[in-house]
Amino acid sequence: MLDFSDPSFAEFFATELDVDIDDPIYAEHGGSKGKRLRCFLQKVDDATAVRTLQALWDHRAQYLAQTGQPDPVPNAEGRYLSLMAKLSGQAASGGEPPRPASDWRLLTELREQLVQIASLQPHERGYAFEAFLKRSFDMAGLTAREPFRNIGEQIDGSFLLGDETYLLEAKWHSLPTGVADLHVFHGKLEQKAAWARGLFVSYNGFTTEGLAAFGPGKRLICMDGRDIYDALERQIPLKAVLERKVRRAAETGQPFITVRDLFGQQTAGGYG
């Protein structure tokens, strides 16, 4: 259990969670720290389990940073976020089955679907990509809406992230997206309510020159095909990816920061 001794383990639970982890009720399956933790998590409600895992994850991250050790667990953060998404969904719904967004089988199915879209004819890809994104957002619990048309313009969809409404622009071009398309989409946002935000998804990414010319401080964030594939490969929930992109954009002013930069440089094969 990380760097915990028996006394420090008990102190951590008492200080962080106001729990006596040495209580015999948590030693039904054995007295080791791991067995007591598993027993505790089996007995408590989902909201308490979420608080516990969050506190342990924060301690773990601090421990790894202080020791300079690489993370020994493959996909550790993605697996942690998937588990938290399940538990948070259960806690919010009173213990109902978790949303399918964190089911690794469905994530694998989505990843394969993304790869298969690349083999379609050009005129079919755009519609298939929009349908793929709609399904991905629905599975992530983001209340996605299908493409709709206002007078003189096409919007590829919308979704809710927290309390914010995001309009979606999805492009599957053979070349990276440049500044012109970014400006066009941002112009659509500026004609909407002041609280409207945007997500621009370009399967083949964005030109460096286009992002530089577009500049910081805009009302949209960007995602490319590699981002989506990496998130699915590493079991990182889409909602967690978007939330981190939004936060980093607020901190840096940059609309596009990759999943690899947000969650670490772990490589993933099969995309391209």
Side-chain angles (χ1 to χ4, degrees), residues 144-206:
R145 179 179 174 185
E146 294 180 348
F148 57 91
R149 181 175 294 278
N150 292 328
I151 297 175
E153 67 178 28
Q154 170 75 31
I155 301 295
D156 292 334
S158 67
F159 61 93
L160 295 177
L161 182 64
D163 295 327
E164 303 285 353
T165 299
Y166 280 76
L167 303 184
L168 173 67
E169 183 84 356
K171 297 289 185 184
W172 192 303
H173 291 163
S174 59
L175 297 175
T177 294
V179 68
D181 285 330
L182 289 169
H183 277 310
V184 168
F185 182 47
H186 196 262
K188 293 180 183 179
L189 292 177
E190 290 180 325
Q191 296 172 19
K192 303 298 184 293
W195 56 84
R197 301 292 182 264
L199 171 65
F200 198 122
V201 182
S202 172
Y203 179 81
N204 281 310
F206 304 86

Side-chain angles (χ1 to χ4, degrees), residues 66-245:
Q66 289 175 344
T67 60
Q69 297 181 25
D71 198 321
V73 180
N75 289 343
E77 187 165 17
R79 292 160 68 179
Y80 162 73
L81 290 170
S82 292
L83 176 59
M84 293 293 278
K86 285 183 180 181
L87 290 173
S88 296
Q90 287 174 270
S93 59
E96 295 178 5
R99 297 185 189 121
S102 301
D103 188 320
W104 68 268
R105 294 178 182 84
L106 292 174
L107 295 177
T108 300
E109 182 182 327
L110 277 174
R111 189 174 72 244
E112 293 173 350
Q113 182 182 352
L114 179 64
V115 173
Q116 291 169 358
I117 293 173
S119 65
L120 297 177
Q121 295 297 316
H123 68 279
E124 299 177 307
R125 288 177 188 165
Y127 295 109
F129 193 38
E130 288 178 9
F132 165 85
L133 292 174
K134 170 69 164 58
R135 184 185 182 198
S136 299
F137 290 135
D138 283 341
M139 289 174 59
L142 295 173
T143 318
R145 179 179 174 185
E146 294 180 348
F148 57 91
R149 181 175 294 278
N150 292 328
I151 297 175
E153 67 178 28
Q154 170 75 31
I155 301 295
D156 292 334
S158 67
F159 61 93
L160 295 177
L161 182 64
D163 295 327
E164 303 285 353
T165 299
Y166 280 76
L167 303 184
L168 173 67
E169 183 84 356
K171 297 289 185 184
W172 192 303
H173 291 163
S174 59
L175 297 175
T177 294
V179 68
D181 285 330
L182 289 169
H183 277 310
V184 168
F185 182 47
H186 196 262
K188 293 180 183 179
L189 292 177
E190 290 180 325
Q191 296 172 19
K192 303 298 184 293
W195 56 84
R197 301 292 182 264
L199 171 65
F200 198 122
V201 182
S202 172
Y203 179 81
N204 281 310
F206 304 86
T207 65
T208 302
E209 297 79 7
L211 289 171
F214 186 59
K218 300 298 193 295
R219 291 165 54 185
L220 62 84
I221 55 174
C222 299
M223 176 181 285
D224 64 7
R226 168 60 73 179
D227 277 344
I228 299 171
Y229 188 91
D230 283 346
L232 293 170
E233 175 76 13
R234 297 170 61 175
Q235 302 176 32
I236 304 172
L238 177 60
K239 183 178 180 181
V241 171
L242 295 174
E243 288 173 341
R244 193 162 297 190
K245 278 181 174 284

